[in-house]
Each structure stands twice: as structure tokens, then as C-alpha cells.
């Protein structure tokens, strides 16, 4: 088969790779119909995730068709159309029993495209298939569904739920890339008073407005002052970090009000300073997290009912074998206007360009 293989920082290629095969009776092999590229994949290519070994097939999100299952798999069978979750779950360890699948100690967690070969390929082996793939409703298009493998559950769980967004809150989302935009759409489910999006790219701020942000601000134009003006000087109830840099994390801690919550979603490759000299007295809660995907069934039902605008985040589509071009477009989002790129499935023209 063909697959997108990581060969070390700055080195990758769409090339021949061995076909996957069942290794455990709980495995399934999926023929990949649609995949997407995550910001975490870009972090891997930069060398920010050293656990990823050269020779690993990247990718942890896919929609496809089951072609083979192990003898212990009970919930899916060949021919089923499924969503492949970014998180695999053994279902037996203490963390899985508490629904914390991202911290699985039984061989699961974030392993696809990280510790084992991932989804950016023509076929993928999925461990613990009963708990790690989800049957897709026929009403959900594959191009839209693939966004439910990672960015929507990540934004919802690590941002909105960890941040405890409540009716009447002022919510600030720092970073209006795909994760930040998904955080805006899912935060709206809890009826906050206002959502403020912060970013550097005008195209992303425009997308934030379309998806429900009440106000947007360029990160270079005093976002802290805007938040202060909107909240009588108090700060935001919830601030979500959706970039993954020291500067954006520290900005979040400056914008939160006393008693507020900072929910870090971004993947960080460098240390950030925690200014306890300012924060110790403010009763601030800071949360971090890897997605557990416990919300995926709920989000799937909402998508099937037309309650999640997943398709609005897809700006570019490519055939599966145009992986290197898709990476280039996604990595240069400031020039291309890319939000989310999808490979495979139904093709359509580029929706957004920066002029």
C-alpha cells in the first residue's frame, strides 16, 4: 500500500509501505476512505514529539470501511463504515474504567501515528476495535465525520468541558485554527454571554465570526484590554489556549479573571513560564489534557442531527495520494487560508484563499 511515512524531523514521504495485518484478536483492519491532517502532525514533523520513531506512518483520524476483524471483535464486521477515533481504548485498565481513555495503560491511548502506524495510508490496523471505532450513521458524510475523530472531541472535552463553560460566561479562545474554531462552536452549546476569538490571521478571525464568535481581535492589538473592557476589568471566566506556544499560554493567564479557568488545549513543544507571582492570589484553575473521546458518540448524534457545523471547517480537499501537497497547504495556512484539509472522499474546490 501507499502511506505517509515519517523519517525524522523535516523528513517525510508518501511511499510504499507494508500492508497492515491483524496482530491481536481485538484488532480490525480498515480501508481508509478519508483522512485529515492535525496540527499535532506538524508538531511531529518539527521534532516536538520525540516518541514518534522514524518509519512510523503518521495520522490518527480517519473514516473508512472495515475489511477484516480479529476473532474477539464483536461490535463491527467487514463492510461496516466507521469513524476511527484518535484514541484507542483497552477498556480494562483503571483509567479506561473511568472513561479516561487518553490515559489508557493497557496498550491504548494516543497510539495511532504516535507509537504505532497511523491512518494516513490506504489501510490501517486499529487495535481494540470494539472501543476504538464508531459505526457511522448513513446521514453523515465522511468528509464531515472525519473531523469527529479528534478536533471536535478535543475542543469539546479539553476546552469546553475542562473549562466548565456555563451560561452567561465570557469565553476567550486564543487561536482560531481548527481546534479553536471547534471550541467556539461547542462552547456555544452552553449559552455563554460572549465568545471572543484571538488570532493573528484575518481569514481565521473571519471564520471565527462565521462560526459564532461575538468579537474577534488581532493578537497584536491588545486582546487583554478588549477582554478587560468587555468585563468591567475582571477578565474572562474561561480562557482556552488553542495554539501551543509559551506566548499564547502566558497571554491566557493574563486574560483570566479571579476564580476563572484556563483550559490548555494546544500541544506545546517548549516550556512556558507560569507566573505564580501574579496567579497565586487569584484562585485560578489551569487544566491540561489529552482528549479521551468519551464524547464522540454524543457528537456523532449531534452531527447526524445537523447540530454541528463540521463541514464549515473544511477548506481544502485532495485525493488521498496528494498527501505531500495537502501537508504543504496545511502547514502554510497563513498563505493558503487552510483551516482543515481532508484527503479522500468527495472532492470539491478550494473554499478559502487569502488574497
Amino acid at each position: 500500500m501507499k502511506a505517509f511515512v515519517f523519517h525524522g524531523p523535516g523528513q517525510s514521504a508518501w511511499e510504499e509501505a507494508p500492508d497492515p495485518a491483524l496482530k491481536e484478536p481485538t484488532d480490525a483492519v480498515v480501508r481508509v476512505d478519508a483522512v485529515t491532517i492535525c496540527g499535532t502532525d506538524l508538531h511531529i514533523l518539527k521534532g516536538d514529539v520525540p516518541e514518534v520513531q522514524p518509519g512510523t506512518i503518521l495520522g490518527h483520524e480517519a473514516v473508512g470501511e472495515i475489511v477484516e476483524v480479529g476473532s474477539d471483535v464483536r461490535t463491527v464486521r467487514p463492510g461496516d463504515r466507521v469513524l476511527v477515533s484518535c484514541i484507542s481504548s483497552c477498556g480494562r485498565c483503571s483509567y479506561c474504567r473511568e472513561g479516561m481513555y487518553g490515559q489508557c495503560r493497557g496498550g491504548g491511548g494516543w497510539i495511532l501515528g504516535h507509537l504505532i502506524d497511523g491512518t494516513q495510508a490506504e489501510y490501517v490496523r486499529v487495535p481494540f476495535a470494539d472501543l476504538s471505532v464508531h459505526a457511522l450513521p448513513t446521514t453523515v458524510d465522511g468528509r464531515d465525520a472525519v473531523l469527529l475523530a479528534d478536533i471536535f472531541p478535543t475542543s469539546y472535552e479539553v476546552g469546553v468541558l475542562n473549562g466548565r463553560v456555563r451560561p452567561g460566561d465570557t469565553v476567550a479562545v486564543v487561536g482560531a485554527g481548527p481546534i479553536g474554531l471547534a471550541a467556539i462552536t461547542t462552547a456555544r452549546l452552553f449559552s455563554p454571554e460572549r465568545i471572543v476569538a484571538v488570532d493573528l490571521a484575518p481569514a481565521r478571525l473571519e471564520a471565527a465570526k462565521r462560526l459564532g464568535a461575538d468579537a474577534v481581535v488581532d493578537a497584536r492589538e491588545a486582546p487583554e484590554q478588549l477582554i478587560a473592557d468587555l468585563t468591567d476589568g475582571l477578565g474572562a471566566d474561561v480562557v482556552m489556549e488553542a495554539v501551543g506556544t509559551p506566548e499564547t499560554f502566558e497571554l491566557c493567564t493574563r486574560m483570566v479573571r479571579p476564580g476563572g479557568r484556563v483550559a490548555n488545549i494546544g500541544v506545546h513543544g517548549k516550556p512556558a513560564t507560569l507566573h505564580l507571582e501574579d496567579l497565586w492570589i487569584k484562585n485560578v484553575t489551569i487544566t491540561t489534557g489529552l482528549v479521551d473521546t468519551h464524547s464522540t458518540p454524543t457528537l456523532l448524534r449531534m452531527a447526524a442531527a445537523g447540530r454541528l457545523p463540521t463541514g464549515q471547517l473544511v477548506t481544502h480537499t485532495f485525493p488521498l495520494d496528494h498527501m505531500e501537497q495537502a501537508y504543504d497547504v496545511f502547514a502554510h495556512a497563513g498563505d493558503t487560508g487552510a483551516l482543515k484539509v481532508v484527503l479522500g472522499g468527495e472532492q470539491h474546490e478550494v473554499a478559502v484563499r487569502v488574497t
Side-chain angles (χ1 to χ4, degrees), residues 26-28 72-76 83-93 96-97 101 104 108-109 126-135 292-294 296-297:
T26 51
D27 289 349
D72 287 352
V73 175
R74 297 289 181 266
T75 60
V76 291
L83 172 70
V84 178
S85 175
C86 66
I87 297 295
S88 302
S89 167
C90 79
R92 297 180 178 179
C93 72
C96 286
R97 286 175 175 268
Y101 309 127
C104 175
V126 181
F128 310 115
D130 279 332
L131 293 170
S132 305
V133 302
H134 302 268
D292 293 313
T293 66
H294 61 74
T296 302

Side-chain angles (χ1 to χ4, degrees), residues 222-292:
E224 298 160 75
Q225 187 59 53
L226 174 63
I227 293 294
D229 291 345
L230 291 171
T231 60
D232 296 325
L234 283 175
D237 299 278
V238 182
V239 186
M240 301 184 207
E241 200 286 333
V243 181
T245 68
E247 296 79 11
T248 51
F249 175 78
E250 292 168 29
L251 172 62
C252 290
T253 62
R254 294 195 299 271
M255 291 198 300
V256 68
R257 70 172 59 198
R261 287 87 65 195
V262 175
N264 184 88
I265 315 172
V267 177
H268 289 262
K270 296 179 182 178
T273 301
L274 182 63
H275 288 283
L276 286 176
E277 73 277 13
D278 298 322
L279 295 172
W280 73 270
I281 201 170
K282 293 179 68 175
N283 291 26
V284 170
T285 299
I286 298 174
T287 57
T288 65
L290 175 65
V291 64
D292 293 313

Side-chain angles (χ1 to χ4, degrees), residues 5-215:
V5 182
F6 173 71
H7 292 293
Q11 303 176 63
S12 57
W14 178 257
E15 62 189 37
E16 294 286 341
D19 292 341
L22 300 176
K23 292 184 178 180
E24 302 291 341
T26 51
D27 289 349
V29 173
V30 176
R31 188 197 71 228
V32 173
D33 294 332
V35 298
T36 185
I37 300 170
C38 181
T40 304
D41 297 321
L42 299 183
H43 280 281
I44 292 171
L45 290 179
K46 290 177 184 176
D48 290 343
V49 190
E51 299 87 1
V52 182
Q53 296 299 306
T56 302
I57 297 170
L58 296 188
H60 49 268
E61 307 155 88
V63 166
E65 182 180 312
I66 300 283
V67 296
E68 189 176 7
V69 296
S71 58
D72 287 352
V73 175
R74 297 289 181 266
T75 60
V76 291
R77 59 185 180 181
D80 285 352
R81 180 170 169 263
V82 296
L83 172 70
V84 178
S85 175
C86 66
I87 297 295
S88 302
S89 167
C90 79
R92 297 180 178 179
C93 72
S94 59
Y95 283 104
C96 286
R97 286 175 175 268
E98 294 179 10
M100 297 173 64
Y101 309 127
Q103 304 301 322
C104 175
R105 291 299 183 265
W110 174 36
I111 55 175
L112 290 171
H114 180 208
L115 305 180
I116 67 172
D117 286 338
T119 59
Q120 289 170 4
E122 294 175 322
Y123 294 87
V124 60
R125 178 181 72 91
V126 181
F128 310 115
D130 279 332
L131 293 170
S132 305
V133 302
H134 302 268
L136 279 182
T138 57
T139 55
V140 180
D141 181 82
R143 187 193 73 186
D144 299 339
V146 74
L147 273 64
L148 299 174
D150 184 356
I151 70 162
F152 269 87
T154 293
S155 299
Y156 182 59
E157 295 175 19
V158 183
V160 176
L161 296 185
N162 278 2
R164 304 202 312 274
V165 176
R166 296 175 296 200
D169 277 354
T170 292
V171 176
V173 179
V174 178
I179 286 287
L181 294 173
I184 289 168
T185 62
T186 51
R188 282 170 53 84
L189 300 172
F190 291 84
S191 300
E193 179 181 0
R194 62 176 68 90
I195 300 173
V196 181
V198 182
D199 203 282
L200 293 169
R204 292 192 168 192
L205 292 175
E206 284 300 316
K209 283 192 220 178
R210 291 196 305 272
L211 289 165
D214 301 288

